C-alpha cells in the first residue's frame, strides 16, 4: 500500500500569460513559492507528483526538503512571458516526483509534439509510478498512447493533469486502466467560473492495482488546481 498525491502548482509565467487570478492574489511570487513549498513539505504521502514547477520553485523545494528523493523532468521548452515582465530568476519548467524513500528512475521524456508536456516514471518497489502533464488538444491521443506503452508491462500508477474529465480519460486509456472516481461531494480539481472544460481534470489512474480514499484538498488559492490524494494497493 502506498499513498500518493498529484498537484499542478501553476508556473508563474503561465499564470501571468493567462491572467490567472492566482497571480493577482500573490503579487510577490517569492511569497507564493515559499507557501507552495511549505504546503508540499507538510504532505505525508509516499509519492507526490507536481506539475508546472518553475526553476525557482524547484530550487526552493530542494532546499526545504533535503530528506526527500527528487526525480525531475526538465522540459526543453522554457515558458516566455507574453503580457507582463518576468519575475522569476529561473523560468525553466519541470515535472517532479518526490519520494519518501528510494525509487529507480525509468523514464523522463517530453512528449514528441509538445515540449512543455511529458511523462516522468520511477520504479518504487516493483510498482511503476508515472507523473504526467497531458496537452489539452488533439495532441492528447498520441500522448495517452505513449503513456499506455510506458505502463504496459507492470502494475502502475499514473498521476497528473490530464486536461480531460474522468470518463473521457477512461475511454481513451481502455479497460486495462482504472481512473479513480471522485466522491459525489468532491471539490473540483480545477475550479473555474466560466468555459465548458471539465473542472475535474487531475486524476489518479491505476493499472493492476486497487485505489481508494480519493480526496481533493483545497489549496487555499496557492494554485489554480487543487491537490488530489489517494491510497493505492
Amino acid at each position: 500500500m502506498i499513498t500518493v498525491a498529484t498537484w499542478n502548482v501553476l508556473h508563474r509565467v503561465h499564470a501571468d500569460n493567462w491572467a490567472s487570478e492566482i497571480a493577482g492574489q500573490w503579487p510577490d511570487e517569492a511569497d507564493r513559492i515559499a507557501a507552495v513549498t511549505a504546503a508540499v513539505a507538510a504532505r505525508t504521502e509516499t509519492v507526490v507528483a507536481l506539475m508546472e514547477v518553475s526553476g525557482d520553485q524547484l530550487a526552493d523545494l530542494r532546499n526545504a526538503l533535503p530528506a526527500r528523493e527528487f526525480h525531475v523532468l526538465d522540459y526543453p521548452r522554457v515558458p516566455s512571458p507574453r503580457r507582463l515582465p518576468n519575475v522569476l530568476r529561473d523560468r525553466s519548467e519541470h515535472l517532479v516526483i518526490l519520494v519518501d524513500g528510494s525509487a529507480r528512475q525509468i523514464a523522463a521524456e517530453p512528449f514528441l509534439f509538445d515540449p512543455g508536456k511529458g511523462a516522468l516514471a520511477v520504479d518504487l518497489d516493483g510498482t511503476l509510478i508515472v507523473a504526467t502533464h497531458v496537452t489539452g488538444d488533439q495532441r492528447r491521443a498520441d500522448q495517452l498512447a505513449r503513456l499506455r506503452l510506458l505502463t504496459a508491462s507492470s502494475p502502475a500508477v499514473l498521476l497528473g493533469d490530464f486536461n480531460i474529465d474522468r470518463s473521457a480519460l477512461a475511454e481513451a486509456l481502455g479497460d486495462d486502466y482504472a481512473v479513480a472516481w471522485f466522491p459525489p461531494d468532491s471539490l473540483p480539481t480545477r475550479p473555474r467560473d466560466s468555459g465548458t472544460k471539465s473542472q475535474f481534470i487531475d486524476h489518479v489512474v491505476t493499472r493492476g492495482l486497487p485505489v481508494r480514499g480519493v480526496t481533493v484538498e483545497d489549496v487555499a488559492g496557492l494554485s489554480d488546481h487543487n491537490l488530489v490524494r489517494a491510497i493505492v494497493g
Side-chain angles (χ1 to χ4, degrees):
M1 184 193 77
I2 58 173
T3 51
V4 298
T6 177
W7 187 21
N8 181 328
V9 298
L10 183 60
H11 193 291
R12 179 61 183 230
V13 173
H14 299 321
D16 286 341
N17 285 348
W18 292 97
S20 169
E21 64 181 18
I22 304 302
Q25 293 170 13
W26 294 89
D28 188 334
E29 178 64 2
D31 289 344
R32 189 179 77 93
I33 284 172
V36 168
T37 294
V40 173
R43 305 309 307 180
T44 60
E45 291 83 9
T46 309
V47 174
V48 178
L50 302 174
M51 293 91 243
E52 291 196 25
V53 179
S54 71
D56 287 12
Q57 183 73 72
L58 179 59
D60 199 62
L61 287 165
R62 287 189 184 277
N63 183 62
L65 299 169
R68 281 267 185 164
E69 182 175 275
F70 280 72
H71 297 270
V72 180
L73 166 58
D74 304 321
Y75 290 125
R77 182 200 69 183
V78 175
S80 297
R82 297 194 302 265
R83 295 179 58 255
L84 298 171
N86 173 54
V87 298
L88 296 171
R89 293 186 301 274
D90 182 353
R91 288 186 289 112
S92 61
E93 184 173 354
H94 312 270
L95 185 61
V96 177
I97 294 176
L98 302 178
V99 179
D100 184 8
S102 182
R104 178 170 59 94
Q105 188 162 306
I106 302 298
E109 53 187 60
F111 289 131
L112 182 60
F113 298 110
D114 186 345
K117 301 289 191 296
L120 174 65
V122 301
D123 182 289
L124 179 63
D125 299 327
T127 297
L128 190 66
I129 308 291
V130 181
T132 189
H133 194 177
V134 176
T135 308
D137 58 29
Q138 67 274 11
R139 291 172 288 180
R140 178 190 306 120
D142 287 339
Q143 296 170 6
L144 294 178
R146 178 57 190 153
L147 291 173
R148 287 196 302 270
L149 185 62
L150 190 61
T151 56
S153 59
S154 63
V157 183
L158 295 93
L159 306 166
D161 178 355
F162 290 85
N163 269 305
I164 49 174
D165 63 31
R166 186 205 164 274
S167 60
L169 180 58
E171 181 178 0
L173 288 175
D175 293 341
D176 288 341
Y177 295 84
V179 184
W181 289 90
F182 294 105
D185 59 348
S186 177
L187 294 171
T189 75
R190 173 56 172 93
R192 49 180 116 233
D193 296 326
S194 61
T196 59
K197 290 185 68 175
S198 172
Q199 296 192 60
F200 293 86
I201 61 174
D202 304 87
H203 300 284
V204 177
V205 181
T206 57
R207 182 183 183 277
L209 294 166
V211 60
R212 56 189 170 90
V214 179
T215 306
V216 182
E217 296 190 10
D218 189 346
V219 300
L222 289 177
S223 170
D224 57 349
H225 289 246
N226 285 321
L227 180 144
V228 182
R229 72 179 309 274
I231 302 169
V232 175

